[in-house]
Amino acid sequence: MFDLELTGRVAIITGGSDGLGRATAQRLAAEGCHVVICARRRDHLEAAAAELTKESGGTVIAQPADVSVPADIEALVAATVDRFGGVDILVNNAGASAASALEDLDDAAWQADIELKLMAAVRLCRATVPLMRERGGGAIVNATIWGGKAPSARSLPTSVTRAAGINLTKSLANEFAADQIRVNTICIGLIKSAQWDRRAGDGPVDEVYAQMAARVPLGRVGEAAEYADLVAFLVSQRARYITGTAVNLDGGMSPVV
Ligand SMILES: NC(=O)c1ccc[n+]([C@@H]2O[C@H](COP(=O)([O-])OP(=O)(O)OC[C@H]3O[C@@H](n4cnc5c(N)ncnc54)[C@H](OP(=O)(O)O)[C@@H]3O)[C@@H](O)[C@H]2O)c1
């Protein structure tokens, strides 16, 4: 028996209306968590929450929020506490691809990526850690990328903001270990999600995935459910001795551990 012991836990998942966040919401709700998802597009988010509630047989609540906006983060956490009385799990998942060359990026593009990928996680951790401490502990998972450990050329600003996310993870894991708050990051490679559907446009997304698979040692792109499985494990009691790790979920793409 491999019970994750997640029943009744309260989880916030940012970017939960599509792709990896949506799969994670489905998984955690099916495990018995009370799940709050956020995203910017209200209608899409509310439709996702309704579908996820039905699919999982659990509870998934929608709270529209842009994680780059501090007031939205405050409202997200307040709505979660109002509804469920606290927070046990935070998945900082919202993000977007941003890989360019140095000379193609102005300060505004750098600042936007820092707000989205670093400051959103900083603010959400700061808002939820005291709530987790009150409950005797908690678990945080930050989505990052393997390029945060081993950046390629023209991978800016994301390889830099993700490197900051990896170091934020380790720093917070050290700071809050005594409070039994565990913090880990998943360094993502190439995984099927709505962002690739959008990039495929009118063309078949399977062709896009086949091209991407050529870059992956295991010979295929990942499934969103594989990310959700790893998040569910990391936030569960089965991972209670794991904190401060940066796990590659990339089919072997990263040149470093
Ligand atoms: N899939 C991959 O191969 C891959 C590779 C490397 C890293 N990642 C990372 O994994 C995470 C999930 O990516 P994904 O592939 O699942 O992306 P996705 O399919 O595009 O889904 C992104 C989700 O985040 C939400 N979102 C985007 N910006 C937001 C914001 N400012 N505030 C709140 N919500 C926001 C989106 O909804 P709205 O648009 O309505 O806000 C959507 O729910 C991201 O951090 C991404 O950078 C993914």
Side-chain angles (χ1 to χ4, degrees):
M1 184 67 178
F2 200 70
D3 182 3
L4 295 178
E5 298 179 43
L6 286 169
T7 306
R9 301 278 170 182
V10 179
I12 294 176
I13 302 170
T14 68
S17 62
D18 266 333
L20 312 190
R22 191 187 196 287
T24 304
Q26 210 270 348
R27 183 68 205 274
L28 293 191
E31 291 289 339
C33 288
H34 302 306
V35 177
V36 179
I37 57 173
C38 82
R40 293 164 302 178
R41 289 166 294 160
R42 177 187 285 269
D43 290 353
H44 188 62
L45 177 74
E46 287 175 351
E51 286 163 20
L52 286 163
T53 298
K54 211 170 162 187
E55 284 166 24
S56 65
T59 321
V60 181
I61 302 299
Q63 174 67 28
D66 181 340
V67 295
S68 301
V69 176
D72 284 13
I73 287 180
E74 282 171 32
L76 169 64
V77 175
T80 305
V81 173
D82 276 356
R83 179 68 191 253
F84 298 119
V87 178
D88 301 295
I89 293 164
L90 169 64
V91 185
N92 282 311
N93 168 80
S97 169
S100 295
L102 179 69
E103 288 161 293
D104 294 337
L105 289 165
D106 60 13
D107 283 7
W110 276 95
Q111 290 296 347
D113 210 56
I114 290 168
E115 287 295 318
L116 174 62
K117 293 178 185 163
L118 177 61
M119 291 313 299
V122 168
R123 292 178 183 125
L124 271 155
C125 290
R126 195 167 56 207
T128 55
V129 156
L131 300 166
M132 293 179 187
R133 196 188 277 123
E134 268 174 23
R135 287 157 85 96
I140 298 170
V141 172
N142 296 319
T144 58
I145 57 170
W146 66 258
K149 297 176 177 175
S152 309
R154 291 172 295 282
S155 63
L156 303 172
T158 201
S159 60
V160 174
T161 50
R162 294 312 199 180
I166 293 169
N167 280 275
L168 176 71
T169 299
K170 188 65 183 169
S171 183
L172 296 186
N174 289 338
E175 185 170 346
F176 298 115
D179 296 306
Q180 303 303 314
I181 298 170
R182 298 180 300 102
V183 192
N184 292 290
T185 179
I186 300 178
C187 300
I188 301 166
L190 297 171
I191 302 184
K192 292 178 188 174
S193 74
Q195 67 164 297
W196 302 113
D197 292 339
R198 287 194 299 276
R199 278 203 228 178
D202 293 334
V205 72
D206 285 345
E207 276 180 23
V208 175
Y209 291 141
Q211 285 165 12
M212 286 158 56
R215 298 166 52 198
V216 185
L218 283 181
R220 64 175 178 84
V221 296
E223 302 287 338
E226 292 171 322
Y227 171 87
D229 283 347
L230 181 54
V231 174
F233 171 70
L234 286 173
V235 302
S236 79
Q237 281 303 300
R238 303 282 74 76
R240 61 182 171 260
Y241 203 55
I242 300 176
T243 193
T245 59
V247 183
N248 295 335
L249 184 72
D250 66 353
M253 285 182 84
S254 174
V256 295
V257 292

